[in-house]
Amino acid sequence: DGGITQSPKYLFRKEGQNVTLSCEQNLNHDAMYWYRQDPGQGLRLIYYSQIVNDFQKGDIAEGYSVSREKKESFPLTVTSAQKNPTAFYLCASSIWYWGSTEAFFGQGTRLTVV
Amino acid sequence: KNEVEQSPQNLTAQEGEFITINCSYSVGISALHWLQQHPGGGIVSLFMLSSGKKKHGRLIATINIQEKHSSLHITASHPRDSAVYICAVLSGGSQGNLIFGKGTKLSVKP
């Protein structure tokens, strides 16, 4: 079945450590996105990529980094520079930029930094 | 003021009731999306609208471009409809950076 997979579902890290969240899709989508969700807040865009080897900062990119070496993979690294990393992270993909097309979401990764 | 406002924030209904969730926005848009977020966190895309009305099963979405308003209706609600419903808009000229509402949390009691 085609879909988008995030792993792990829950992640705990010590303060000051970098951590990488995985996102893989087998939908042959060009565009992929990372969002952050905090309680009572709307989704906020961290990074997006519309093609392999290219990505753009979203609204809250500081303290995060991404790579897009393969079409199907878009990992997100939460660095120690991110001041408040504890949040729910969602990855999405779409055929092209998803304002004009439907997007598919992963199940999310809940990151807790202690 | 948020560019996308949803109402109500929380909604509790009895099984079988007709439900309406509203979304108002202040920017010019080229598309509006309704999403459903399950209690576990996963999100499903329900509708994408640029005009008029769409129906899928018991769900109906409408949009009024002139009034900058969209509604999501659920007929014959069921406990499995309990979720957070999110409205998101693509402002005209933007390439994929949507503006999200904060969501409406719906709880349907049996």
Side-chain angles (χ1 to χ4, degrees):
Chain A
D1 286 334
I4 181 164
T5 302
Q6 285 186 246
S7 61
K9 191 170 175 63
Y10 299 96
L11 189 55
F12 295 88
R13 277 295 181 269
K14 290 185 179 178
E15 196 171 336
Q17 288 183 335
N18 291 357
V19 60
T20 298
L21 281 58
S22 170
C23 179
E24 304 276 332
Q25 54 98 359
N26 61 2
L27 299 164
N28 201 33
H29 285 171
D30 284 306
M32 296 187 75
Y33 310 84
W34 275 105
Y35 292 94
R36 172 179 171 139
Q37 188 177 40
D38 294 285
Q41 300 293 319
L43 292 168
R44 292 184 291 169
L45 182 65
I46 305 172
Y47 269 97
Y48 66 100
S49 169
Q50 294 180 330
I51 198 167
V52 174
N53 292 323
D54 186 54
F55 47 83
Q56 307 294 328
K57 292 181 179 180
D59 299 322
I60 55 165
E62 185 175 350
Y64 300 98
S65 66
V66 293
S67 63
R68 188 86 188 275
E69 297 176 2
K70 298 185 296 182
K71 188 175 186 178
E72 57 269 24
S73 179
F74 191 41
L76 173 75
T77 297
V78 184
T79 75
S80 56
Q82 168 48 237
K83 292 184 175 60
N84 185 19
T86 294
F88 188 62
Y89 292 88
L90 281 155
C91 180
S93 72
S94 62
I95 294 173
W96 190 221
Y97 69 93
W98 80 280
S100 59
T101 63
E102 184 183 2
F104 294 81
F105 285 82
Q107 291 300 304
T109 293
R110 192 167 297 280
L111 173 65
T112 303
V113 175
V114 295
Chain B
K1 186 182 186 304
N2 292 329
E3 292 169 298
V4 179
E5 295 273 3
Q6 289 187 235
S7 63
Q9 286 186 324
N10 294 282
L11 181 56
T12 300
Q14 287 299 127
E15 184 172 356
E17 285 185 358
F18 181 84
I19 289 164
T20 296
I21 298 170
N22 297 299
C23 176
S24 296
Y25 52 90
S26 57
V27 296
I29 71 167
S30 54
L32 181 143
H33 295 255
W34 281 104
L35 311 171
Q36 180 190 53
Q37 185 169 29
H38 296 287
I43 290 179
V44 174
S45 178
L46 297 175
F47 294 104
M48 184 180 74
L49 294 163
S50 54
S51 65
K53 175 180 172 178
K54 287 190 175 179
K55 184 176 189 289
H56 186 256
R58 295 181 294 106
L59 300 177
I60 303 165
T62 64
I63 188 168
N64 185 318
I65 297 293
Q66 287 74 28
E67 295 186 3
K68 295 186 176 178
H69 181 268
S70 175
S71 293
L72 177 68
H73 305 286
I74 304 175
T75 62
S77 60
H78 190 276
R80 65 175 174 266
D81 297 325
S82 298
V84 176
Y85 292 84
I86 300 169
C87 171
V89 302
L90 177 70
S91 61
S94 167
Q95 287 206 6
N97 195 1
L98 286 98
I99 307 168
F100 292 84
K102 294 182 179 180
T104 294
K105 185 174 182 180
L106 171 66
S107 179
V108 181
K109 306 292 186 187

